[in-house]
Amino acid sequence: MASLEQLTFQNPYASLPPEFSVRVRPAPLAEARVVSVSPEALRLLDLDEAEAQRPEFRDVMNGARLLPGMEPVATVYAGHQFGVYVPRLGDGRALLLGEVRNAAGERWEVQLKGSGPTPFSRMGDGRAVLRSTIREYLCSEAMHALGIPTTRALCILGSPEAVYREEVETGALLVRMAPSHVRFGTFEYFAHTEQTGHVALLADHVIARHFPHLEGAPERHTRLFSEVVDRTARLIAQWQAVGFAHGVMNTDNMSILGLTLDYGPYGFLDDFEPGFICNHSDHTGRYAFDQQPRIALWNLACLAQALLSLVPEAALRAALETFAPTYSAQWQARMRQKLGLRETREEDRGLLETLLARMAESRTDYTRFFRALGHFDASPQADNASLRAMFAAPEGFDAWAALYRTRLAAEGSVDAERRERMARVNPKYVLRNYLAQTAIARAQQGDFSEVDRLRAVLSRPYEDQPGAEAYAEPPPHWGRCLEVSCSS
Ligand code: AMP
Ligand code: MG
């Protein structure tokens, strides 16, 4: 383990030409205090929890003290927001301090989110409120624990500083980490401003640091795009399999590394509702749960457009055409695992679609059903009463269960083994909105213990945790109709 002062920072992004970013001094939050820390994320920087207790840690994470090698910059990007191109967005409230190389040789960029205004703040105040900071913090770490690629969250700083949204709230700061925070929209910015040299420079920067096997390779830019298509298809398949809706899949929120990025009004499905819209501001359902694969492809097409100066159009089109088959194969593989199936058979697609249709009709709880399905008794006389009870029309479930039983028998499935396999892929604990809301409400009263408890439970989503059963419960009535907007 290292001490804070032993971390060596560098900021290679700040060394790109001046058009890429602007140096900005962070504006520390008044009377800031570290209110929650992710021990797993700390370890990525080779730090332990004792280190996070030091006032120096607070000062560095609050942007009040810079360590050697840190060069805080706000990066420029553009993006398609709800389908409309916005020519200049950029980090309006985030600052990239630089990156640390850890003992394992990984490089982690460290970014402050909520550290004050930048030249890209437009009308914004450069701040983040406690509510949205807790939501991003909990979900980043929960997604990681689920095995889904994501940016990470190191810690939250709270402050009594007033921040004005629909009402007065308090300011907070999230320390975010990722190997890179480059977005599709970063490429779009340079392409649309006709800085084609900078499109190439950005692509080569990304290749050198994150796709080193492509460095110097023929057609490296084409291959970079193909890999981004592949990573994005795999990411979305994981979202769909776990029941995660991002809520604002604008191209400025799409990571070039295929990470889940920018947690705003996201939501995990409670009841299975394919058209679930988690973002209260999304009136047309553009970013509804079942639209995510289509939107990801649309966003990739925007990225393709931005790469036209580097890659022949036919090659971009060919790469885009791989999205649907990759997504479909990945989704089916993950869903087959959720059903505990080891073999791949023709009839699996139908089996899945029938199940999802029955679940949608009954509004069956998505997470609870798949977790419970591990306990399916495949013997002919079993009635699987507790699963049956999760359907408004139990006969529909019975008909499906007969198909499932036959399918399991066809591959010689053994119930006990299947249960173990299924428990490793069907989480018991996901960050339901009502759980986040409960933790936020307590934190707003100054009690962060629920944030910590929830983070700890969600760090082991596939384990039965004695004493934590309440966190696997479906939402109470009030928790079903929570409205989450873009306001953050
Ligand atoms: P988001 O919806 O968080 O992905 O943000 C979209 C854009 O608005 C990004 O350019 C953000 O930097 C910017 N932004 C969001 N909130 C603020 C704020 N409070 N102050 C300044 N910029 C902001
Ligand atoms: Mg964003």
Side-chain angles (χ1 to χ4, degrees), residues 200-234:
L201 200 56
L202 180 61
D204 287 333
H205 176 86
V206 168
I207 287 173
R209 311 186 63 76
H210 308 290
F211 299 84
H213 55 286
L214 299 183
E215 227 181 343
E219 297 171 1
R220 66 188 186 284
H221 295 139
T222 309
R223 290 176 58 190
L224 171 65
F225 182 66
S226 297
E227 292 208 19
V228 177
V229 172
D230 187 73
R231 286 189 188 204
T232 306
R234 289 167 186 270

mmCIF file of all heavy atoms in Angstrom, residues 200-234:
data_model
loop_
_atom_site.group_PDB
_atom_site.id
_atom_site.type_symbol
_atom_site.label_atom_id
_atom_site.label_comp_id
_atom_site.label_asym_id
_atom_site.label_seq_id
_atom_site.Cartn_x
_atom_site.Cartn_y
_atom_site.Cartn_z
ATOM 1 N N ALA A 200 -7.449 12.476 -35.955
ATOM 2 C CA ALA A 200 -6.415 11.431 -36.057
ATOM 3 C C ALA A 200 -5.571 11.384 -34.789
ATOM 4 O O ALA A 200 -5.251 10.300 -34.278
ATOM 5 C CB ALA A 200 -5.531 11.709 -37.274
ATOM 6 N N LEU A 201 -5.242 12.568 -34.280
ATOM 7 C CA LEU A 201 -4.421 12.627 -33.066
ATOM 8 C C LEU A 201 -5.146 11.963 -31.885
ATOM 9 O O LEU A 201 -4.556 11.192 -31.119
ATOM 10 C CB LEU A 201 -4.142 14.103 -32.753
ATOM 11 C CG LEU A 201 -2.973 14.425 -31.850
ATOM 12 C CD1 LEU A 201 -1.679 13.831 -32.391
ATOM 13 C CD2 LEU A 201 -2.828 15.962 -31.743
ATOM 14 N N LEU A 202 -6.430 12.240 -31.786
ATOM 15 C CA LEU A 202 -7.223 11.657 -30.698
ATOM 16 C C LEU A 202 -7.300 10.136 -30.856
ATOM 17 O O LEU A 202 -7.115 9.385 -29.894
ATOM 18 C CB LEU A 202 -8.625 12.275 -30.682
ATOM 19 C CG LEU A 202 -9.567 11.769 -29.592
ATOM 20 C CD1 LEU A 202 -9.019 12.051 -28.195
ATOM 21 C CD2 LEU A 202 -10.957 12.422 -29.740
ATOM 22 N N ALA A 203 -7.551 9.699 -32.089
ATOM 23 C CA ALA A 203 -7.629 8.249 -32.336
ATOM 24 C C ALA A 203 -6.298 7.592 -31.974
ATOM 25 O O ALA A 203 -6.275 6.535 -31.319
ATOM 26 C CB ALA A 203 -7.991 7.986 -33.796
ATOM 27 N N ASP A 204 -5.199 8.218 -32.350
ATOM 28 C CA ASP A 204 -3.893 7.618 -32.068
ATOM 29 C C ASP A 204 -3.557 7.676 -30.578
ATOM 30 O O ASP A 204 -2.908 6.766 -30.053
ATOM 31 C CB ASP A 204 -2.807 8.271 -32.929
ATOM 32 C CG ASP A 204 -2.931 7.832 -34.390
ATOM 33 O OD1 ASP A 204 -3.449 6.708 -34.616
ATOM 34 O OD2 ASP A 204 -2.548 8.596 -35.295
ATOM 35 N N HIS A 205 -4.022 8.714 -29.908
ATOM 36 C CA HIS A 205 -3.840 8.807 -28.453
ATOM 37 C C HIS A 205 -4.584 7.639 -27.775
ATOM 38 O O HIS A 205 -4.036 6.955 -26.907
ATOM 39 C CB HIS A 205 -4.392 10.161 -27.971
ATOM 40 C CG HIS A 205 -4.356 10.354 -26.487
ATOM 41 N ND1 HIS A 205 -3.245 10.836 -25.822
ATOM 42 C CD2 HIS A 205 -5.292 10.132 -25.524
ATOM 43 C CE1 HIS A 205 -3.504 10.899 -24.519
ATOM 44 N NE2 HIS A 205 -4.739 10.482 -24.313
ATOM 45 N N VAL A 206 -5.808 7.413 -28.207
ATOM 46 C CA VAL A 206 -6.626 6.336 -27.632
ATOM 47 C C VAL A 206 -5.991 4.972 -27.950
ATOM 48 O O VAL A 206 -5.898 4.094 -27.077
ATOM 49 C CB VAL A 206 -8.082 6.430 -28.150
ATOM 50 C CG1 VAL A 206 -8.876 5.174 -27.819
ATOM 51 C CG2 VAL A 206 -8.773 7.667 -27.573
ATOM 52 N N ILE A 207 -5.535 4.816 -29.177
ATOM 53 C CA ILE A 207 -4.905 3.538 -29.562
ATOM 54 C C ILE A 207 -3.651 3.285 -28.735
ATOM 55 O O ILE A 207 -3.472 2.208 -28.156
ATOM 56 C CB ILE A 207 -4.572 3.528 -31.080
ATOM 57 C CG1 ILE A 207 -5.859 3.380 -31.892
ATOM 58 C CG2 ILE A 207 -3.588 2.405 -31.411
ATOM 59 C CD1 ILE A 207 -5.671 3.516 -33.396
ATOM 60 N N ALA A 208 -2.801 4.297 -28.647
ATOM 61 C CA ALA A 208 -1.517 4.104 -27.950
ATOM 62 C C ALA A 208 -1.741 3.705 -26.499
ATOM 63 O O ALA A 208 -1.019 2.877 -25.950
ATOM 64 C CB ALA A 208 -0.685 5.380 -28.029
ATOM 65 N N ARG A 209 -2.761 4.265 -25.896
ATOM 66 C CA ARG A 209 -2.940 4.042 -24.462
ATOM 67 C C ARG A 209 -3.872 2.880 -24.136
ATOM 68 O O ARG A 209 -3.707 2.244 -23.106
ATOM 69 C CB ARG A 209 -3.472 5.311 -23.809
ATOM 70 C CG ARG A 209 -2.652 6.542 -24.222
ATOM 71 C CD ARG A 209 -3.058 7.768 -23.487
ATOM 72 N NE ARG A 209 -2.814 7.603 -22.071
ATOM 73 C CZ ARG A 209 -1.628 7.665 -21.516
ATOM 74 N NH1 ARG A 209 -0.563 7.895 -22.251
ATOM 75 N NH2 ARG A 209 -1.495 7.499 -20.224
ATOM 76 N N HIS A 210 -4.832 2.606 -25.012
ATOM 77 C CA HIS A 210 -5.854 1.621 -24.636
ATOM 78 C C HIS A 210 -6.019 0.462 -25.608
ATOM 79 O O HIS A 210 -6.690 -0.512 -25.293
ATOM 80 C CB HIS A 210 -7.203 2.322 -24.447
ATOM 81 C CG HIS A 210 -7.094 3.492 -23.523
ATOM 82 N ND1 HIS A 210 -6.876 3.348 -22.176
ATOM 83 C CD2 HIS A 210 -7.081 4.830 -23.767
ATOM 84 C CE1 HIS A 210 -6.769 4.554 -21.618
ATOM 85 N NE2 HIS A 210 -6.886 5.461 -22.560
ATOM 86 N N PHE A 211 -5.465 0.603 -26.801
ATOM 87 C CA PHE A 211 -5.540 -0.486 -27.788
ATOM 88 C C PHE A 211 -4.124 -0.687 -28.345
ATOM 89 O O PHE A 211 -3.921 -0.594 -29.561
ATOM 90 C CB PHE A 211 -6.527 -0.123 -28.920
ATOM 91 C CG PHE A 211 -7.947 0.117 -28.457
ATOM 92 C CD1 PHE A 211 -8.339 1.359 -27.956
ATOM 93 C CD2 PHE A 211 -8.897 -0.903 -28.512
ATOM 94 C CE1 PHE A 211 -9.646 1.588 -27.526
ATOM 95 C CE2 PHE A 211 -10.212 -0.688 -28.088
ATOM 96 C CZ PHE A 211 -10.589 0.566 -27.594
ATOM 97 N N PRO A 212 -3.148 -0.950 -27.461
ATOM 98 C CA PRO A 212 -1.746 -0.961 -27.909
ATOM 99 C C PRO A 212 -1.484 -1.999 -28.993
ATOM 100 O O PRO A 212 -0.576 -1.811 -29.808
ATOM 101 C CB PRO A 212 -0.953 -1.276 -26.634
ATOM 102 C CG PRO A 212 -1.936 -1.807 -25.653
ATOM 103 C CD PRO A 212 -3.262 -1.223 -26.018
ATOM 104 N N HIS A 213 -2.295 -3.069 -29.032
ATOM 105 C CA HIS A 213 -2.101 -4.083 -30.075
ATOM 106 C C HIS A 213 -2.392 -3.536 -31.467
ATOM 107 O O HIS A 213 -2.026 -4.156 -32.460
ATOM 108 C CB HIS A 213 -2.987 -5.304 -29.786
ATOM 109 C CG HIS A 213 -4.442 -4.933 -29.638
ATOM 110 N ND1 HIS A 213 -4.928 -4.288 -28.527
ATOM 111 C CD2 HIS A 213 -5.489 -5.097 -30.478
ATOM 112 C CE1 HIS A 213 -6.234 -4.078 -28.685
ATOM 113 N NE2 HIS A 213 -6.594 -4.549 -29.857
ATOM 114 N N LEU A 214 -3.035 -2.375 -31.547
ATOM 115 C CA LEU A 214 -3.337 -1.793 -32.870
ATOM 116 C C LEU A 214 -2.269 -0.800 -33.315
ATOM 117 O O LEU A 214 -2.277 -0.345 -34.465
ATOM 118 C CB LEU A 214 -4.700 -1.063 -32.841
ATOM 119 C CG LEU A 214 -5.927 -1.912 -32.519
ATOM 120 C CD1 LEU A 214 -7.195 -1.065 -32.604
ATOM 121 C CD2 LEU A 214 -6.015 -3.102 -33.478
ATOM 122 N N GLU A 215 -1.385 -0.445 -32.385
ATOM 123 C CA GLU A 215 -0.396 0.582 -32.719
ATOM 124 C C GLU A 215 0.458 0.131 -33.903
ATOM 125 O O GLU A 215 0.999 -0.973 -33.888
ATOM 126 C CB GLU A 215 0.489 0.881 -31.502
ATOM 127 C CG GLU A 215 0.623 2.360 -31.299
ATOM 128 C CD GLU A 215 1.502 2.735 -30.118
ATOM 129 O OE1 GLU A 215 1.758 1.873 -29.245
ATOM 130 O OE2 GLU A 215 1.929 3.899 -30.100
ATOM 131 N N GLY A 216 0.556 0.988 -34.903
ATOM 132 C CA GLY A 216 1.380 0.679 -36.066
ATOM 133 C C GLY A 216 0.761 -0.361 -36.992
ATOM 134 O O GLY A 216 1.339 -0.707 -38.020
ATOM 135 N N ALA A 217 -0.400 -0.907 -36.639
ATOM 136 C CA ALA A 217 -1.031 -1.937 -37.481
ATOM 137 C C ALA A 217 -1.638 -1.290 -38.721
ATOM 138 O O ALA A 217 -2.057 -0.139 -38.673
ATOM 139 C CB ALA A 217 -2.119 -2.655 -36.689
ATOM 140 N N PRO A 218 -1.684 -2.050 -39.831
ATOM 141 C CA PRO A 218 -2.364 -1.487 -41.004
ATOM 142 C C PRO A 218 -3.855 -1.302 -40.680
ATOM 143 O O PRO A 218 -4.424 -2.102 -39.933
ATOM 144 C CB PRO A 218 -2.146 -2.548 -42.088
ATOM 145 C CG PRO A 218 -1.640 -3.767 -41.402
ATOM 146 C CD PRO A 218 -1.153 -3.387 -40.044
ATOM 147 N N GLU A 219 -4.432 -0.268 -41.226
ATOM 148 C CA GLU A 219 -5.865 0.024 -40.998
ATOM 149 C C GLU A 219 -6.204 0.098 -39.514
ATOM 150 O O GLU A 219 -7.238 -0.393 -39.068
ATOM 151 C CB GLU A 219 -6.728 -1.037 -41.695
ATOM 152 C CG GLU A 219 -6.534 -1.026 -43.192
ATOM 153 C CD GLU A 219 -7.191 -2.204 -43.898
ATOM 154 O OE1 GLU A 219 -7.825 -3.035 -43.233
ATOM 155 O OE2 GLU A 219 -7.050 -2.263 -45.127
ATOM 156 N N ARG A 220 -5.311 0.729 -38.755
ATOM 157 C CA ARG A 220 -5.538 0.765 -37.299
ATOM 158 C C ARG A 220 -6.803 1.524 -36.918
ATOM 159 O O ARG A 220 -7.470 1.170 -35.951
ATOM 160 C CB ARG A 220 -4.326 1.333 -36.563
ATOM 161 C CG ARG A 220 -4.038 2.805 -36.854
ATOM 162 C CD ARG A 220 -2.720 3.219 -36.228
ATOM 163 N NE ARG A 220 -2.477 4.656 -36.362
ATOM 164 C CZ ARG A 220 -2.083 5.246 -37.489
ATOM 165 N NH1 ARG A 220 -1.910 4.516 -38.583
ATOM 166 N NH2 ARG A 220 -1.887 6.544 -37.536
ATOM 167 N N HIS A 221 -7.157 2.558 -37.677
ATOM 168 C CA HIS A 221 -8.350 3.332 -37.311
ATOM 169 C C HIS A 221 -9.623 2.533 -37.583
ATOM 170 O O HIS A 221 -10.589 2.610 -36.833
ATOM 171 C CB HIS A 221 -8.362 4.675 -38.052
ATOM 172 C CG HIS A 221 -7.215 5.561 -37.647
ATOM 173 N ND1 HIS A 221 -6.487 6.314 -38.532
ATOM 174 C CD2 HIS A 221 -6.664 5.790 -36.421
ATOM 175 C CE1 HIS A 221 -5.536 6.973 -37.869
ATOM 176 N NE2 HIS A 221 -5.626 6.672 -36.591
ATOM 177 N N THR A 222 -9.601 1.773 -38.676
ATOM 178 C CA THR A 222 -10.742 0.907 -38.971
ATOM 179 C C THR A 222 -10.906 -0.113 -37.851
ATOM 180 O O THR A 222 -12.012 -0.360 -37.350
ATOM 181 C CB THR A 222 -10.502 0.141 -40.302
ATOM 182 O OG1 THR A 222 -10.145 1.090 -41.295
ATOM 183 C CG2 THR A 222 -11.732 -0.630 -40.733
ATOM 184 N N ARG A 223 -9.791 -0.676 -37.454
ATOM 185 C CA ARG A 223 -9.855 -1.705 -36.404
ATOM 186 C C ARG A 223 -10.261 -1.112 -35.062
ATOM 187 O O ARG A 223 -10.944 -1.757 -34.275
ATOM 188 C CB ARG A 223 -8.522 -2.448 -36.330
ATOM 189 C CG ARG A 223 -8.339 -3.315 -37.590
ATOM 190 C CD ARG A 223 -7.016 -4.007 -37.627
ATOM 191 N NE ARG A 223 -6.799 -4.868 -36.456
ATOM 192 C CZ ARG A 223 -5.628 -5.430 -36.173
ATOM 193 N NH1 ARG A 223 -4.581 -5.233 -36.973
ATOM 194 N NH2 ARG A 223 -5.499 -6.194 -35.108
ATOM 195 N N LEU A 224 -9.826 0.122 -34.822
ATOM 196 C CA LEU A 224 -10.264 0.787 -33.581
ATOM 197 C C LEU A 224 -11.786 0.886 -33.579
ATOM 198 O O LEU A 224 -12.450 0.512 -32.604
ATOM 199 C CB LEU A 224 -9.651 2.196 -33.469
ATOM 200 C CG LEU A 224 -10.211 3.056 -32.336
ATOM 201 C CD1 LEU A 224 -9.868 2.466 -30.963
ATOM 202 C CD2 LEU A 224 -9.682 4.501 -32.416
ATOM 203 N N PHE A 225 -12.343 1.366 -34.695
ATOM 204 C CA PHE A 225 -13.799 1.512 -34.743
ATOM 205 C C PHE A 225 -14.488 0.154 -34.557
ATOM 206 O O PHE A 225 -15.455 0.046 -33.798
ATOM 207 C CB PHE A 225 -14.244 2.187 -36.049
ATOM 208 C CG PHE A 225 -15.732 2.401 -36.093
ATOM 209 C CD1 PHE A 225 -16.351 3.275 -35.213
ATOM 210 C CD2 PHE A 225 -16.528 1.702 -37.000
ATOM 211 C CE1 PHE A 225 -17.736 3.448 -35.213
ATOM 212 C CE2 PHE A 225 -17.906 1.876 -37.020
ATOM 213 C CZ PHE A 225 -18.508 2.750 -36.122
ATOM 214 N N SER A 226 -13.957 -0.873 -35.223
ATOM 215 C CA SER A 226 -14.562 -2.210 -35.066
ATOM 216 C C SER A 226 -14.541 -2.648 -33.610
ATOM 217 O O SER A 226 -15.507 -3.252 -33.120
ATOM 218 C CB SER A 226 -13.788 -3.264 -35.864
ATOM 219 O OG SER A 226 -13.864 -2.962 -37.209
ATOM 220 N N GLU A 227 -13.462 -2.351 -32.926
ATOM 221 C CA GLU A 227 -13.392 -2.766 -31.514
ATOM 222 C C GLU A 227 -14.369 -1.965 -30.648
ATOM 223 O O GLU A 227 -14.923 -2.495 -29.684
ATOM 224 C CB GLU A 227 -11.960 -2.635 -30.978
ATOM 225 C CG GLU A 227 -11.053 -3.663 -31.643
ATOM 226 C CD GLU A 227 -9.862 -4.098 -30.788
ATOM 227 O OE1 GLU A 227 -9.893 -3.907 -29.557
ATOM 228 O OE2 GLU A 227 -8.901 -4.625 -31.385
ATOM 229 N N VAL A 228 -14.571 -0.702 -30.999
ATOM 230 C CA VAL A 228 -15.536 0.098 -30.234
ATOM 231 C C VAL A 228 -16.952 -0.451 -30.471
ATOM 232 O O VAL A 228 -17.750 -0.560 -29.533
ATOM 233 C CB VAL A 228 -15.442 1.600 -30.595
ATOM 234 C CG1 VAL A 228 -16.498 2.403 -29.835
ATOM 235 C CG2 VAL A 228 -14.047 2.148 -30.284
ATOM 236 N N VAL A 229 -17.246 -0.831 -31.715
ATOM 237 C CA VAL A 229 -18.557 -1.431 -32.014
ATOM 238 C C VAL A 229 -18.728 -2.695 -31.168
ATOM 239 O O VAL A 229 -19.758 -2.902 -30.509
ATOM 240 C CB VAL A 229 -18.685 -1.774 -33.520
ATOM 241 C CG1 VAL A 229 -19.964 -2.578 -33.791
ATOM 242 C CG2 VAL A 229 -18.671 -0.498 -34.369
ATOM 243 N N ASP A 230 -17.696 -3.511 -31.143
ATOM 244 C CA ASP A 230 -17.763 -4.772 -30.413
ATOM 245 C C ASP A 230 -17.953 -4.546 -28.912
ATOM 246 O O ASP A 230 -18.830 -5.145 -28.285
ATOM 247 C CB ASP A 230 -16.456 -5.543 -30.676
ATOM 248 C CG ASP A 230 -16.507 -6.941 -30.107
ATOM 249 O OD1 ASP A 230 -17.215 -7.778 -30.696
ATOM 250 O OD2 ASP A 230 -15.865 -7.190 -29.069
ATOM 251 N N ARG A 231 -17.161 -3.656 -28.346
ATOM 252 C CA ARG A 231 -17.271 -3.400 -26.903
ATOM 253 C C ARG A 231 -18.639 -2.820 -26.550
ATOM 254 O O ARG A 231 -19.208 -3.141 -25.502
ATOM 255 C CB ARG A 231 -16.209 -2.395 -26.460
ATOM 256 C CG ARG A 231 -14.817 -2.988 -26.412
ATOM 257 C CD ARG A 231 -13.901 -1.978 -25.744
ATOM 258 N NE ARG A 231 -12.508 -2.391 -25.823
ATOM 259 C CZ ARG A 231 -11.568 -1.992 -24.968
ATOM 260 N NH1 ARG A 231 -11.868 -1.154 -23.983
ATOM 261 N NH2 ARG A 231 -10.330 -2.394 -25.097
ATOM 262 N N THR A 232 -19.129 -1.933 -27.427
ATOM 263 C CA THR A 232 -20.422 -1.309 -27.138
ATOM 264 C C THR A 232 -21.539 -2.349 -27.202
ATOM 265 O O THR A 232 -22.423 -2.383 -26.331
ATOM 266 C CB THR A 232 -20.683 -0.152 -28.130
ATOM 267 O OG1 THR A 232 -19.563 0.749 -28.077
ATOM 268 C CG2 THR A 232 -21.948 0.605 -27.780
ATOM 269 N N ALA A 233 -21.475 -3.229 -28.195
ATOM 270 C CA ALA A 233 -22.503 -4.275 -28.314
ATOM 271 C C ALA A 233 -22.493 -5.179 -27.080
ATOM 272 O O ALA A 233 -23.544 -5.536 -26.531
ATOM 273 C CB ALA A 233 -22.256 -5.105 -29.581
ATOM 274 N N ARG A 234 -21.311 -5.523 -26.625
ATOM 275 C CA ARG A 234 -21.202 -6.383 -25.432
ATOM 276 C C ARG A 234 -21.723 -5.666 -24.189
ATOM 277 O O ARG A 234 -22.378 -6.272 -23.340
ATOM 278 C CB ARG A 234 -19.742 -6.785 -25.190
ATOM 279 C CG ARG A 234 -19.232 -7.766 -26.197
ATOM 280 C CD ARG A 234 -17.713 -7.908 -26.120
ATOM 281 N NE ARG A 234 -17.275 -8.758 -27.195
ATOM 282 C CZ ARG A 234 -17.166 -10.081 -27.103
ATOM 283 N NH1 ARG A 234 -17.427 -10.695 -25.964
ATOM 284 N NH2 ARG A 234 -16.791 -10.795 -28.130
#
